Amino acid sequence: MSRIFLYSFVVIFLFSCASNEERSTIELKSYIIGNAQPIKLSDDTSKLKVSDLFADINGFESASIGDKKLEVKENKIIIPNDWVPAPVSNLRVIYKGVQHDIPLFKSEKLAYTFNYNGGLNSKTVGLAGSVNGWNYKADSLTKTDKGWSKTFKLAPGRYPYRIWVDGKEGLDETNPNTMDNGLGGLNNYFIVGIENEKVELLQTLSPSQDTIFVKAPASLKNILAYLENRLISVERKEDKAFIVIPSSVEKTERTFVRFYADNGSKRTNDLLIPLQNGRPIQQSIDLKREDLHATVMYFMMVDRFMDGDSTNNRPTPDPAIKPQANNLGGDLQGITQKIKDGYFQSLGINTIWISPISRNAEGAWGLWDKGTKSTFSAYHGYWPTALTKIDDRFGNEKAFRELIDLAHENGINVILDYVAHHVHQDHILYKQHPEWTTQLYLPDGTLNTERWDEHRLTTWFDKFLPTWDFSKPEVVSALTDTAMYWVTNYELDGFRHDATKHIPTEFWEELTKKVKSNSKKKLFQIGETYGSPELISSYITNGQLDAQFDFNLYDAIVDAFAKDETSFDNLDRVLNESLKTYGHHHLMGNITGNQDRARFISYADGSVKFSEDAKLAGWTRDIQNQGEVGFNKMASLQAFLMTTPGIPCVYYGDEIGLPGGNDPDNRRMMKFQDWNDNQKKLHDVSSRLIQLRRSNLALSYGELIPLYKDPTTFVFARNYLGETTIVVFTKGQTSSAKNISFDWPFNEIDLKKESFFGQSTIQINGRKCSLDLKGESVGKYGFEIFYN
């Protein structure tokens, strides 16, 4: 019986590890679909909606922490922060007589007073930064005798910002701490608490047939283990902890064991071990496409991927639209053809994300008027005029069903891009209910367009793209129903949700509730939010989305790998921040690029400058690859994505180094032939990296262990059940050899490991590890991987 079916449940017997002589048996049923995400508490009193856990709240009976029963008001569980005894605790919920256990994460926020010791003669001073979504009007400072100040409650970490004095933006001249803003300029920053405070880590060890062992340093005072959604006892002996897997789990094909721990004041990393019929999975052949942590995603814009049916080619016949802003003929049939050709399979892809395919606007819209002039067709799919009809320029129902069926036959998931935030003004629903949208003009008479942060939940993307007013229940009902149309009529595996942060959480909660109630299987939902980790993670809950794309990490990756002058310090910091915020086994999307950024390779080879307008560059220059350096840096980027936690996502064409400025130049037609030598080499390296990710369980499920870092060297390990993979990145090397030595934290000492490029070696001497890097791994690509 599969755990992904809604009305089924897992029935197993747990052996309590409290006594080796007598082990009680406990029947376990779970009415929660999949593994419940840890609940992140506020710094005061948290309110958890019962509907976040269960689509039907009528079966709820009680909730407790330890022996303290929690109050429930209006179907919300009230959780006082001072009732939570440790950084990691357990919430026990009884539903239809069945016990469910869910990890609780206590808030680690601290009070921090920000001071600006300038602007003494100014009328207003505001702070815009990651603390408030870069909206300076959200946090006006209070004038003091020495300047201006405001107190925040913030988690430990680094916070970039800029100052607005009397409506004008600039750097804080009183703070010498600055950092690259990724746009050719600088931001100030301040640090709350201890940035990336070190906590000893959990490590999985080699298992016995029915026992999972974990290296658990004595400093970790509190360890919780879960089998599915049930807390199970953990035994400890010296620096190890272990659980015994009950034999009755053998009746269930896929279950998961999770570990969480803290040292009394801070959480440490989590562990995730998938089980196949009650035994830890130790071979990738046992994984299926439904195992999300083993996902490698590929995103394509339908119109720009492949033309599989020329009879539906219908570019807008308007000379005001330049060719790159018009339909080029790609369609669903083209994607199906590439599945038939084995393109995705040979690359190693097991999930494809396709851009929106609903009926879109006809005619020419918008205007680009810098350096050249052009309007746009709706080739991209993000200007819908019908939310449940397929645009005939992309295909039809038959073509979409054929694509999905063929993908599934070849072990590939299909994720559909869905636009809920807005429609085109020609949409019939907007014409029938114009009152269902937000106002185009603000009270001061200015346009409410592209006010991404200041009016995040009401702004229009353009004057012809009305934004739905999700404060109206009828709007939420209608738009969630149209999303469900795609789930109930097609065998989709998930959604990518456009403009997530511009839609209130009530919509996502209602949609997820309907998904849980009506879908035959667990759907993966991933969102798009540009903002702080706190804002991004606010949409990732049991009642909303599974994940979002990690654009903050992508910015740090670009900074580290595209620029020669930067160090690995910022990448290390942001990576740790992501692991801390989203979990060490998160499902965040880690991208090689996307449709809203200039191509990474064009930044990396210098053909697009970070300081210039990348859209203008794309419109006014013929941007092409500049030698092999960009290809090599792209290979390094892909190596990073394929070896770190999360879901790697390849933007179409990045596997061959397709160049381009920003939109629409980053959306050129995909090339499948006439590749030059650099494109062939990058495709080969990309395929090998993806295949390694798919075949190496440490890269999908292993814990990440930092090993060594200096400004030009970054070394970490992924460890899974005692099998370690070592990953090395270097910068600025002019020689073809480099030696790196560091402390070795693992028990494994008989290292018979291959290296990715075949020339480098690894040696262990006592508790010291030495890497001897040679050949292409140093002077050319700047990375090496050692694996079993």
Side-chain angles (χ1 to χ4, degrees):
M1 185 177 290
S2 172
R3 69 181 184 90
I4 64 177
F5 286 95
L6 180 60
Y7 296 112
S8 63
F9 52 79
V10 179
V11 181
I12 61 178
F13 294 90
L14 291 179
F15 292 94
S16 171
C17 297
S19 169
N20 285 328
E21 287 76 26
E22 296 182 9
R23 292 192 174 102
S24 61
T25 60
I26 305 173
E27 185 181 33
L28 174 69
K29 300 177 184 178
S30 180
Y31 289 96
I32 295 175
I33 303 174
N35 292 312
Q37 297 184 41
I39 298 168
K40 299 176 182 178
L41 302 176
S42 70
D43 56 320
D44 188 8
T45 296
S46 302
K47 297 179 180 179
L48 172 65
K49 294 180 180 179
V50 175
S51 57
D52 284 356
L53 302 174
F54 309 100
D56 178 9
I57 64 174
N58 292 320
F60 173 79
E61 297 176 18
S62 67
S64 59
I65 298 175
D67 58 359
K68 295 181 178 180
K69 187 174 181 179
L70 296 170
E71 183 182 9
V72 179
K73 290 183 178 179
E74 298 177 347
N75 291 315
K76 295 178 182 177
I77 302 170
I78 311 301
I79 308 176
N81 197 45
D82 56 5
W83 280 31
V84 183
V88 178
S89 297
N90 182 66
L91 173 69
R92 179 154 293 169
V93 177
I94 306 300
Y95 181 87
K96 293 186 177 180
V98 174
Q99 175 181 320
H100 298 77
D101 293 310
I102 306 163
L104 288 178
F105 288 175
K106 193 169 187 176
S107 173
E108 296 182 358
K109 287 186 176 181
L110 305 171
Y112 178 85
T113 300
F114 173 82
N115 293 301
Y116 171 58
N117 299 320
L120 294 177
N121 299 319
S122 304
K123 294 182 180 179
T124 62
V125 175
L127 178 147
S130 60
V131 298
N132 56 13
W134 294 92
N135 178 13
Y136 77 94
K137 292 184 178 180
D139 288 305
S140 295
L141 306 186
T142 302
K143 197 166 188 178
T144 67
D145 293 339
K146 297 181 180 180
W148 302 78
S149 72
K150 185 177 179 67
T151 298
F152 298 89
K153 282 289 189 73
L154 299 170
R158 179 180 302 197
Y159 294 85
Y161 72 95
R162 291 176 74 85
I163 286 291
W164 286 73
V165 178
D166 291 335
K168 294 183 179 180
E169 180 187 16
L171 286 172
D172 179 353
E173 74 281 5
T174 69
N175 180 2
N177 295 323
T178 60
M179 59 187 292
D180 193 318
N181 67 2
L183 301 171
L186 296 173
N187 291 325
N188 294 105
Y189 70 87
F190 59 84
I191 294 175
V192 176
I194 301 175
E195 186 179 24
N196 288 329
E197 182 176 355
K198 302 301 181 185
V199 181
E200 289 192 278
L201 302 176
L202 294 170
Q203 292 179 26
T204 53
L205 302 173
S206 298
S208 70
Q209 192 172 21
D210 61 359
T211 306
I212 296 175
F213 296 95
V214 172
K215 182 179 179 182
S219 64
L220 301 179
K221 305 179 185 304
N222 178 39
I223 301 177
L224 302 183
Y226 293 80
L227 177 56
E228 293 295 282
N229 296 307
R230 188 63 176 266
L231 187 68
I232 56 177
S233 296
V234 179
E235 286 202 35
R236 300 188 69 168
K237 186 175 183 180
E238 298 175 348
D239 66 343
K240 294 182 179 62
F242 65 90
I243 64 165
V244 176
I245 305 169
S247 60
S248 49
V249 181
E250 296 172 6
K251 301 175 183 177
T252 307
E253 182 179 16
R254 178 72 78 251
T255 50
F256 291 87
V257 171
R258 295 174 290 161
F259 287 86
Y260 300 93
D262 65 68
N263 64 3
S265 61
K266 297 289 182 183
R267 295 194 312 273
T268 187
N269 64 316
D270 55 83
L271 304 177
L272 178 67
I273 302 100
L275 307 182
Q276 175 90 342
N277 297 114
R279 295 292 180 263
I281 292 180
Q282 295 182 274
Q283 298 183 67
S284 61
I285 195 173
D286 292 327
L287 297 176
K288 298 184 175 182
R289 62 181 176 86
E290 292 87 357
D291 291 311
L292 294 175
H293 290 84
T295 296
V296 179
M297 191 184 299
Y298 188 98
F299 169 48
M300 72 214 78
M301 187 161 282
V302 175
D303 180 68
R304 302 304 168 93
F305 190 64
M306 184 179 179
D307 184 357
D309 180 4
S310 60
T311 64
N312 63 20
N313 290 359
R314 191 162 51 82
T316 301
D318 190 325
I321 305 177
K322 290 190 177 296
Q324 61 266 47
N326 211 334
N327 292 75
L328 297 183
D331 47 34
L332 297 172
Q333 293 90 329
I335 299 172
T336 300
Q337 183 59 55
K338 297 316 293 182
I339 298 174
K340 291 179 179 177
D341 293 345
Y343 184 78
F344 302 109
Q345 300 91 309
S346 64
L347 191 58
I349 300 298
N350 64 356
T351 299
I352 55 175
W353 151 30
I354 62 175
S355 57
I357 59 173
S358 59
R359 184 181 298 163
N360 262 243
E362 301 283 352
W365 300 89
L367 178 65
W368 175 267
D369 193 13
K370 289 174 65 176
T372 188
K373 184 179 290 188
S374 180
T375 53
F376 300 81
S377 78
Y379 69 89
H380 41 67
Y382 292 95
W383 298 345
T385 57
L387 292 174
T388 59
K389 303 292 184 182
I390 294 176
D391 195 304
D392 60 9
R393 290 166 289 191
F394 300 144
N396 51 41
E397 289 188 16
K398 180 181 178 182
F400 193 33
R401 294 187 197 282
E402 182 183 0
L403 186 158
I404 294 172
D405 290 345
L406 188 63
H408 289 171
E409 289 171 12
N410 285 273
I412 299 173
N413 297 308
V414 179
I415 291 178
L416 179 65
D417 205 322
Y418 181 73
V419 182
H421 171 265
H422 60 264
V423 289
H424 189 273
Q425 68 182 37
D426 289 341
H427 195 290
I428 186 63
L429 194 58
Y430 172 64
K431 292 180 178 181
Q432 293 173 343
H433 295 284
E435 75 280 6
W436 281 11
T437 63
T438 62
Q439 296 298 308
L440 176 58
Y441 289 90
L442 295 167
D444 63 3
T446 59
L447 276 171
N448 186 15
T449 55
E450 299 187 3
R451 304 288 188 98
W452 311 125
D453 301 314
E454 187 179 351
H455 296 282
R456 176 168 63 89
L457 297 176
T458 63
T459 191
W460 289 32
F461 282 24
D462 211 322
K463 289 185 289 185
F464 56 88
L465 297 173
T467 291
W468 295 115
D469 183 353
F470 290 101
S471 68
K472 300 178 184 294
E474 59 269 31
V475 174
V476 172
S477 177
L479 269 294
T480 52
D481 282 347
T482 58
M484 288 304 301
Y485 166 84
W486 296 97
V487 174
T488 56
N489 286 275
Y490 299 95
E491 292 295 323
L492 290 173
D493 301 292
F495 284 124
R496 178 267 187 185
H497 290 297
D498 188 56
T500 301
K501 78 170 186 178
H502 299 292
I503 301 174
T505 57
E506 289 78 6
F507 171 85
W508 302 117
E509 291 170 347
E510 181 65 17
L511 174 59
T512 301
K513 179 181 177 180
K514 289 182 177 180
V515 166
K516 290 178 178 178
S517 298
N518 298 289
S519 177
K520 296 178 182 178
K521 61 183 180 181
K522 178 174 172 57
L523 290 183
F524 178 59
Q525 297 190 91
I526 185 167
E528 176 209 32
T529 292
Y530 290 88
S532 68
E534 183 172 20
L535 175 63
I536 293 169
S537 64
S538 69
Y539 289 90
I540 306 170
T541 68
N542 289 296
Q544 297 186 81
L545 307 183
D546 299 291
Q548 297 218 60
F549 288 95
D550 194 346
F551 297 118
N552 295 309
L553 182 61
Y554 178 69
D555 288 340
I557 290 170
V558 173
D559 182 68
F561 292 112
K563 300 176 182 178
D564 294 328
E565 68 276 13
T566 55
S567 72
F568 286 118
D569 291 344
N570 186 55
L571 178 59
D572 177 52
R573 179 187 67 80
V574 177
L575 175 62
N576 283 314
E577 183 178 49
S578 290
L579 296 176
K580 177 73 172 178
T581 303
Y582 312 120
H584 286 243
H585 290 83
H586 61 69
L587 295 169
M588 299 291 285
N590 295 330
I591 59 174
T592 63
N594 74 3
Q595 72 273 36
D596 297 322
R597 304 285 186 97
R599 292 278 183 172
F600 168 87
I601 196 169
S602 296
Y603 279 131
D605 67 15
S607 54
V608 175
K609 306 298 181 185
F610 285 97
S611 58
E612 70 175 320
D613 183 334
K615 281 193 177 184
L616 180 62
W619 278 109
T620 57
R621 297 204 306 269
D622 180 20
I623 298 170
Q624 297 298 331
N625 299 122
Q626 303 296 317
E628 72 170 2
V629 62
F631 291 92
N632 298 340
K633 290 181 177 181
M634 173 57 82
S636 290
L637 179 153
Q638 295 200 31
F640 187 83
L641 298 190
M642 299 304 159
T643 56
T644 49
I647 294 180
C649 180
V650 178
Y651 181 44
Y652 83 96
D654 280 344
E655 72 272 29
I656 60 168
L658 208 62
N662 205 340
D663 165 19
D665 195 40
N666 57 357
R667 305 171 181 182
R668 302 180 189 184
M669 204 68 185
M670 178 62 183
K671 289 179 59 176
F672 292 103
Q673 54 190 354
D674 299 325
W675 292 347
N676 60 37
D677 287 343
N678 284 326
Q679 291 171 324
K680 292 176 183 177
K681 289 177 184 177
L682 178 58
H683 184 271
D684 177 62
V685 172
S686 300
S687 178
R688 290 181 59 211
L689 284 167
I690 296 171
Q691 299 287 359
L692 179 61
R693 168 77 176 212
R694 294 279 310 280
S695 63
N696 187 307
L697 287 170
L699 297 181
S700 296
Y701 290 97
E703 56 271 20
L704 188 148
I705 310 292
L707 295 177
Y708 177 83
K709 183 182 69 67
D710 64 33
T712 62
T713 312
F714 191 19
V715 187
F716 59 84
R718 299 294 302 277
N719 175 73
Y720 176 74
L721 300 179
E723 296 287 342
T724 55
T725 294
I726 314 299
V727 186
V728 188
F729 294 96
T730 62
K731 292 190 65 165
Q733 295 300 127
T734 56
S735 66
S736 59
K738 182 172 184 175
N739 184 268
I740 306 167
S741 296
F742 48 85
D743 292 335
W744 182 248
F746 304 104
N747 294 329
E748 185 183 15
I749 57 174
D750 183 19
L751 294 177
K752 297 178 181 178
K753 295 187 181 293
E754 298 181 37
S755 68
F756 188 82
F757 292 106
Q759 296 173 287
S760 302
T761 58
I762 180 171
Q763 291 183 331
I764 300 294
N765 184 7
R767 282 293 172 183
K768 286 290 183 181
C769 179
S770 177
L771 305 180
D772 189 16
L773 306 181
K774 296 178 180 178
E776 291 183 324
S777 65
V778 187
K780 184 176 181 179
Y781 289 109
F783 75 89
E784 184 58 276
I785 306 170
F786 298 91
Y787 56 95
N788 293 333

